Amino acid sequence: MTVHTTDMGARTDALADALQVDGRFTSPRIRDALHAVPRHLFAPTRGWYAADGPGPRHSIDRDADPSGWWDAVYSDGSIVTQAADGAGDPAGGVAEATSSLSSPGVVVAFLELLDVRPGHRILEIGTGTGWTAALLTALGAYVTTVEIDSGLALTAHETLVMAGFDPHVIAADGTLGAPDHAPFDGVHVTCGVDRIPYTWVEQTRPGGRLVVPWMPEYGEGHKAVLTVTGDGRASGRLAGGADYMVLRAQRSTLWTPDDITDAEETATRLDPGEVTGSHGADVAVTAALPDVMGAPRTRDGVVELELADTAATSWARVRQGEGEHRVWQAGPRRLWDEVADAYTRWVEWGRPAQTTFGLTVGPDRQVVWRDDPSNIITL
């Protein structure tokens, strides 16, 4: 199937129009960058497509179904390009996705937050397919992009050259940044992180900006926009939700046993669905309990909240019921009780929204604050 330049321009405009209406970006420079970097050049021949938000999830294959492939590439959805660190089929939709061509809406939202200006020196963490590095270059930045997977880095470099872009691609551990190319005017991160490496702050000039998918162990992820200060720290507010694959060095697995007969069983009137229903509450809980992992699950059509500590000593499960909800807890800690206390404090604060919270990253620690950086709510 041949797609002419005018077709690609129309597809890009239609996608950009939809993203603007949805509030993902406002800058005309980003629209120009989307035109300058055709997304199909960075898309895999085969992959697993997932709409951003509710919508279809299915395999795509340019050879078997070219029309469906083009429609997926120029719509707001991610396309898995690697599964199980290369051991799985990226078009299978079964193995864990470990690299993807990110959803356009997610990408442009972070680009707008970064506010790239011509001549800026940008460090990108997580090259992936190279599409975002190309967009940053099209925005006028001098880009250094770091990818831990050498195979992905090589493929991205080859694709970028073919597409006419020349960011500096490094195959290395992104947590180390790129000290030989510092200082940077901004850092753009394309993978989720719990603890933001201080090296990224060190390698950014004062006044420079970091945009990071902050994805703590508990709850949903958040867009963090941090500005580097003169005292060697970076601080800023949260700016919406984020859902990215986690930095390889920070991957963890939430585990609770199938057999819960030996756990302590109690009841609660606090609905686990309500506890996990707000980004603001998620921040308050993770600030108080940074070593607790938690995520809602659905078992037999019923919502459950599963909890475990990172030390693997304690776990809990809370299952929605009629009126009362069942609680199972085991280990030296009572994790549901701790989460419930943190959630109750958030309610007492007046249920502050996600955007009232922020992060400060320094050489010694990372803290969460509410309303103002001086109002630290985590130790």
Side-chain angles (χ1 to χ4, degrees), residues 220 254 256 258 271-273 276 294-307 317-321 328:
E220 300 292 335
L254 172 59
T256 61
D258 291 328
D271 188 338
T276 58
R297 301 277 192 263
T298 300
R299 292 175 184 264
D300 304 322
V302 179
V303 173
E304 292 186 348
L305 173 60
E306 295 188 343
L307 304 166
R317 183 180 298 165
V318 190
R319 184 178 177 86
Q320 278 185 329
W328 295 268

Side-chain angles (χ1 to χ4, degrees), residues 290-366:
D291 64 339
V292 173
M293 299 181 284
R297 301 277 192 263
T298 300
R299 292 175 184 264
D300 304 322
V302 179
V303 173
E304 292 186 348
L305 173 60
E306 295 188 343
L307 304 166
D309 65 353
T310 56
T313 67
S314 305
W315 62 267
R317 183 180 298 165
V318 190
R319 184 178 177 86
Q320 278 185 329
E322 295 290 337
E324 287 192 335
H325 314 282
R326 307 310 302 167
V327 180
W328 295 268
Q329 302 185 91
R333 297 174 65 179
R334 291 297 175 261
L335 296 183
W336 166 249
D337 297 344
E338 294 181 27
V339 167
D341 287 345
Y343 174 81
T344 300
R345 282 195 296 274
W346 173 75
V347 172
E348 292 170 350
W349 291 340
R351 302 177 182 266
Q354 176 190 50
T355 52
T356 65
F357 295 96
L359 295 175
T360 297
V361 180
D364 51 347
R365 62 175 181 161
Q366 172 179 305

